[in-house]
Amino acid sequence: MVEFDADGKLVSSVYGDVYHSPSGAMGQAEHVFLRGNGLPERWRGRASFTVCETGFGLGLNFLALWKAWRDDPQRPAALHVVAMERHPFSRNDVGALLARHAPEPLSGLAPALAAQWPALLPGLHRLEFENGAVTLTLGFGDAQVLAPRLGARVDAFFLDGFAPERNPQMWAPPLLRALAGLAAPGATVATWACTGELRRNLDDAGFEVRRAPGYGGKWHMTVGQVREAGRAAAPAAVSSERHAVIVGAGLAGAGIAQALAGRGWRVTVIDAGRMLGAPAHAGHVAAALTPVLARDDNARARLSRAGSERAWARWQGLPAGAAPRVCGTVQVERDAGRSAALAGTLAALAFPEDWVRQVSREEASALAGLPVARGGVFFSQGMLVQPGLLIEALLAASGAAVLPGRAERVSPAGQGWRVQDASGAELARADTVILANAAGARDVLAASGLLDPLARVAQMHALAGEVTLVPASALDGGPRCIVGGEGYLLPDVGAGCVVGSTYVHGAAEAKVGAEGQRVTLDKAAGLLGGHFPAYDALVAGSLPGWAGWRAVLPGRLPAVGELPHAPGLWLATGYASRGLSWSALMGDLIAARLMGEPLPLETDLAQLVSPR
Ligand SMILES: Cc1cc2nc3c(=O)[nH]c(=O)nc-3n(C[C@H](O)[C@H](O)[C@H](O)COP(=O)(O)OP(=O)(O)OC[C@H]3O[C@@H](n4cnc5c(N)ncnc54)[C@H](O)[C@@H]3O)c2cc1C
Ligand SMILES: C[S@@+](CC[C@H](N)C(=O)[O-])C[C@H]1O[C@@H](n2cnc3c(N)ncnc32)[C@H](O)[C@@H]1O
């Protein structure tokens, strides 16, 4: 909630304190946080520099830091900021407040921050500016919960909660210890706050601190330096080569190619499908990207939110057709009579209504433009994606060299790995090799003698399935939004409406056929509550469609990361039924680790998807 005091200063009635020094936010940012941390001098001559801020508020410190970076000809190539905020303003409020309160030197940058301001959902959000040279990893939630889950190697800390006596949890010893755990060697800390207790707590946490002249009528502030680097500080997976070989040109491989190329890497992709003239997802004309909702906001739900957000951020600028279309998703309840439970879930989660809300059958039907069977929830950000076009656009934009070929095994070569085919011929080599070839990754690891330590990956199975393309005219033009539930029905992409999908355990091949088409048409009829007038006229087996495989791991979460027993060899597999949710996010997770950037995911989530 936005409130002002009698002098027109932004205040919090919860904490009874002002957001910024009455003497000026810009002066405070420069004196306390920048100069208190030895900036800009300390970042000079470095490739990247990472700052962590405890109370992001309106982002004025962030904007001042970004401006200082911009104005410094000796700036590092990359500036990363990780920040936490428990009571985030809405995007509208941020825009209006920055327009009114941002000091003049920051007014040019403020609209860019407001424009990318995320939905008010718990967890980490990644914002990027200056073509990715400046990143902001913004966690919505309590700093005490978030800080121990950050994956970052921090060079400077900005401690900016409300006053310690009014907002003690922002200065509590466990939080300060969690921050010290993220400290890179020589990391510094600065804050306007200056109590003896704070200095003692910082000292106990591992910072050597002292008083320094304060700003704006305050005699003192606190500055300091970490005694030794933190154990939690995430190191980069070092390779100066900046070349990666990716095995597999599907949704996983294309997502990684984009993420690495965007950070200046050269990328080589080896793909078996292309050797056979069958690129992954050729003919898969439409698919859905809808987040998961769970009453306990479990890991899968948190990951899926992060994945949707990352996909939109990464793909919205792609050419038409390849870029997702935000059309929304009506997720129909599995059976009638669950609306009270659903209401309870939504109330417990308290997510913004403009992100997800409960809808009656009538409302769901109005959103879809077709009668649907039951009410459910509406995700306004549900996305319709054309996977074949997306993959081609991502590979083209990454400038990757795409080589047709089937990887049989990998073996150590110099600092890195060589990828060989069945004849033993070398297909490619690099310090960094990433197996992103779905269920084929298990076979490559087994053939290379590397599978045994990977119990979860060893249990991977391939699950076939198909989707069917129905003429839009058979569906009164098709739905206006994605209709999901037991199966899914997608808006017309020009070629028709995709209905899906089947799950065939133990299939020998993935194929389109009469049996599968009967299943997909029945699922569509179920979603429409039987209101599918052309159903009888459609002959199962005569319609176009697409069939493929899902690589499924126990727990249906992907396995992504460097193999501990094979440094330089990475895995990105097990995307199961949610390849669109994981593609961009897992690409960025791998790239962030390779570059030593803050992770775009909380470490508990990154740990859950780790290969072991
Ligand atoms: C019927 C169906 C419908 C689906 N609908 C959706 C949906 O609506 N939304 C969604 O998010 N997901 C959907 N999925 C899931 C999605 O397709 C997968 O999650 C996604 O394709 C996984 O990406 P991937 O890159 O791991 O695998 P793929 O996209 O299958 O790509 C793997 C690539 O690796 C190559 N390869 C394999 N072995 C080797 C090797 N040894 N050497 C070199 N290359 C190799 C293959 O040729 C292929 O090109 C659907 C899946 C199916 C089957
Ligand atoms: C002094 S203001 C920060 C101003 C901000 N740095 C800026 O540049 O605009 C303190 C911020 O800490 C936030 N805060 C308070 N308690 C918190 C907590 N436990 N976890 C995270 N943020 C918290 C407040 O909501 C507020 O935005």
Side-chain angles (χ1 to χ4, degrees):
M1 202 169 87
V2 178
E3 290 172 88
F4 301 96
D5 67 9
D7 299 330
K9 298 265 181 269
L10 187 61
V11 292
S12 160
S13 59
V14 179
Y15 298 97
D17 201 358
V18 287
Y19 274 75
H20 308 104
S21 163
S23 305
M26 188 72 191
Q28 176 175 281
E30 287 178 334
H31 179 92
V32 176
F33 295 108
L34 291 172
R35 284 201 286 284
N37 276 298
L39 294 173
E41 292 78 10
R42 276 187 58 235
W43 65 33
R44 294 187 177 150
R46 301 190 38 169
S48 76
F49 194 89
T50 301
V51 171
C52 175
E53 183 173 47
T54 49
F56 189 77
L58 206 45
L60 295 184
N61 290 339
F62 165 71
L63 293 172
L65 178 71
W66 176 11
K67 179 163 190 326
W69 176 88
R70 272 196 150 199
D71 291 347
D72 186 0
Q74 299 178 63
R75 62 180 169 252
L79 173 66
H80 303 295
V81 179
V82 189
M84 294 161 274
E85 176 52 56
R86 184 177 183 174
H87 311 282
F89 295 113
S90 69
R91 180 195 284 222
N92 283 346
D93 286 346
V94 163
L97 286 168
L98 284 174
R100 178 172 159 179
H101 286 269
E104 200 281 320
L106 306 180
S107 55
L109 301 178
L113 174 60
Q116 284 195 47
W117 195 255
L120 301 191
L121 294 161
L124 294 190
H125 306 270
R126 179 70 142 245
L127 287 65
E128 290 177 357
F129 309 92
E130 311 272 3
N131 290 322
V134 175
T135 72
L136 171 60
T137 306
L138 182 55
F140 287 160
D142 188 338
Q144 298 177 103
V145 177
L146 284 169
R149 294 176 169 185
L150 294 176
R153 201 173 163 76
V154 176
D155 299 299
F157 294 93
F158 294 9
L159 304 186
D160 196 13
F162 291 119
E165 64 277 14
R166 297 163 195 259
N167 188 191
Q169 64 274 31
M170 276 295 257
W171 314 89
L175 172 57
L176 301 179
R177 282 197 295 275
L179 297 178
L182 301 171
T188 56
V189 61
T191 175
W192 52 267
C194 194
T195 64
E197 186 183 359
L198 174 62
R199 280 198 302 281
R200 277 191 301 282
N201 289 341
L202 279 167
D203 185 80
D204 288 347
F207 293 96
E208 195 78 52
V209 287
R210 62 186 169 81
R211 290 193 307 189
Y215 172 77
K218 286 195 186 296
W219 285 103
H220 295 117
M221 62 179 193
T222 307
V223 296
Q225 189 167 36
V226 76
R227 286 193 205 90
E228 57 184 71
R231 277 195 293 278
V238 251
S239 160
S240 52
E241 190 190 39
R242 302 273 155 104
H243 171 223
V245 170
I246 300 171
V247 177
L251 285 172
I256 299 161
Q258 186 197 33
L260 288 175
R263 289 158 171 93
W265 283 54
R266 184 165 68 85
V267 176
T268 305
V269 180
I270 299 169
D271 191 63
R274 280 162 206 257
M275 198 172 69
L276 306 169
H281 301 277
H284 191 187
V285 297
L289 203 180
T290 304
V292 175
L293 207 61
R295 194 183 176 92
D296 58 353
D297 202 25
N298 59 28
R300 197 172 157 70
R302 290 164 60 206
L303 279 163
S304 83
R305 281 205 299 280
S308 300
E309 202 179 72
R310 223 51 315 263
W312 176 243
R314 283 276 173 247
W315 301 343
Q316 62 177 308
L318 293 174
R325 192 167 117 206
V326 178
C327 58
T329 301
V330 162
Q331 193 73 19
V332 177
E333 290 168 63
R334 293 220 164 210
D335 41 68
R338 285 183 33 121
S339 64
L342 202 52
T345 296
L346 291 176
L349 294 170
F351 290 167
E353 284 221 338
D354 59 4
W355 192 80
V356 65
R357 66 189 158 92
Q358 189 161 18
V359 287
S360 64
R361 178 171 189 259
E362 291 67 36
E363 211 178 346
S365 302
L367 285 160
L370 290 177
V372 300
R374 290 173 292 281
V377 290
F378 180 63
F379 292 94
S380 65
Q381 301 303 305
M383 287 180 258
L384 180 69
V385 180
Q386 305 195 46
L389 297 182
L390 172 70
I391 290 171
E392 293 313 319
L394 290 173
L395 292 175
S398 73
V402 183
L403 313 177
R406 173 172 289 279
E408 178 72 16
R409 71 177 71 86
V410 293
S411 53
Q415 301 272 307
W417 297 86
R418 131 182 350 110
V419 182
Q420 292 162 282
D421 68 11
S423 73
E426 180 173 308
L427 295 170
R429 68 161 75 188
D431 288 357
T432 307
V433 169
I434 304 164
L435 299 178
N437 55 328
R442 185 198 46 209
D443 303 336
V444 173
L445 289 167
S448 313
L450 293 167
L451 185 60
D452 280 353
L454 305 173
R456 195 161 69 98
V457 181
Q459 294 177 62
M460 178 154 51
H461 67 279
L463 185 55
E466 69 182 288
V467 294
T468 306
L469 193 60
V470 174
S473 57
L475 287 157
D476 294 338
R480 282 199 286 264
C481 65
I482 295 160
V483 180
E486 189 65 53
Y488 54 83
L489 166 57
L490 306 183
D492 182 15
V493 284
C497 300
V498 163
V499 301
S501 62
T502 63
Y503 291 82
V504 190
H505 292 269
E509 58 175 328
K511 60 176 196 311
V512 170
E515 203 181 323
Q517 294 200 339
R518 179 58 56 213
V519 172
T520 58
L521 292 173
D522 283 348
K523 285 186 174 175
L527 291 168
L528 296 171
H531 185 83
F532 190 170
Y535 177 85
D536 291 328
L538 296 170
V539 181
S542 72
L543 297 165
W546 174 83
W549 296 96
R550 308 169 184 92
V552 185
L553 289 164
R556 289 180 303 139
L557 287 179
V560 178
E562 191 174 22
L563 299 185
H565 56 297
L569 186 62
W570 295 66
L571 196 59
T573 186
Y575 286 25
S577 299
R578 306 197 69 89
L580 294 173
S581 298
W582 310 141
S583 171
L585 177 65
M586 298 305 161
D588 271 334
L589 179 64
I590 290 174
R593 284 217 168 105
L594 283 165
M595 299 294 288
E597 287 173 13
L599 300 187
L601 268 183
E602 291 94 321
T603 48
D604 62 319
L605 296 179
Q607 182 59 35
L608 275 176
V609 301
S610 74
R612 285 184 79 165

